[in-house]
Amino acid sequence: MIKPDGVQRGLVGEIIKRFESKGYKLIAMKMTAPGKEHMEKHYADLSSKKFFPGLIEYMTSGPVIAMVWQGKNAVLEGRKMLGATMPTESAMGTIRGDFCVEVGVSRVGVALLLCSDPNICCRSFFTNLFRSFTPR
């Protein structure tokens, strides 16, 4: 998922390019604006954290690009391509390392919904976003 600031900053094409250049196949994509309830459910595991209200506000501040990628080791390699969660710990050459400025201002706008089975991904977070999508 490319987060609101990534969409606003025009990073969608570059991020897609990196995954495609690695050999992954984009099998579904949708620009959407999930509501507060959807994001609270998605990030429920973080609900006890101090930053949770700000995270939800940020994630509902603009459109996101939801994507489903297919390919060998997509989860493992996707994590490597994204880089460390904290911008200061992300190596240059990773998506976060190249595009992230600082947490709370420009968070790079990329999150990877990591699951090895696209059927499970689509039935969980993406079910409401890709109502007519059927993984192959």
Side-chain angles (χ1 to χ4, degrees):
M1 173 173 42
I2 302 175
K3 296 179 182 180
D5 69 303
V7 175
Q8 187 232 356
R9 291 175 56 207
L11 299 175
V12 175
E14 179 62 32
I15 292 165
I16 290 172
K17 178 182 172 184
R18 289 184 182 211
F19 278 83
E20 288 181 331
S21 294
K22 188 74 174 174
Y24 296 112
K25 181 180 177 184
L26 181 60
I27 59 172
M29 179 172 75
K30 181 177 183 178
M31 178 182 271
T32 186
K36 182 179 178 184
E37 184 178 310
H38 187 95
M39 285 300 178
E40 286 174 340
K41 184 177 178 182
H42 178 65
Y43 288 110
D45 61 319
L46 301 174
S47 64
S48 64
K49 304 289 185 185
K50 286 173 98 174
F51 61 81
F52 185 74
L55 172 66
I56 300 306
E57 182 179 344
Y58 162 68
M59 289 301 297
T60 58
S61 69
V64 299
I65 304 293
M67 300 174 287
V68 178
W69 291 96
Q70 182 179 54
K72 186 174 181 177
N73 295 319
V75 173
L76 177 64
E77 293 302 317
R79 285 184 176 136
K80 291 177 189 175
M81 291 168 55
L82 287 176
T85 303
M86 295 301 294
T88 56
E89 298 170 7
S90 293
M92 294 303 293
T94 65
I95 293 170
R96 289 185 179 122
D98 290 351
F99 300 122
C100 198
V101 178
E102 63 180 279
V103 173
V105 176
S106 183
R107 309 164 202 217
V108 81
V110 183
L112 185 58
L113 180 60
L114 299 169
C115 53
S116 56
D117 182 344
N119 293 299
I120 294 170
C121 288
C122 293
R123 280 193 292 270
S124 61
F125 180 70
F126 290 112
T127 297
N128 292 325
L129 302 179
F130 294 109
R131 293 183 199 276
S132 63
F133 176 71
T134 304
R136 294 183 205 174

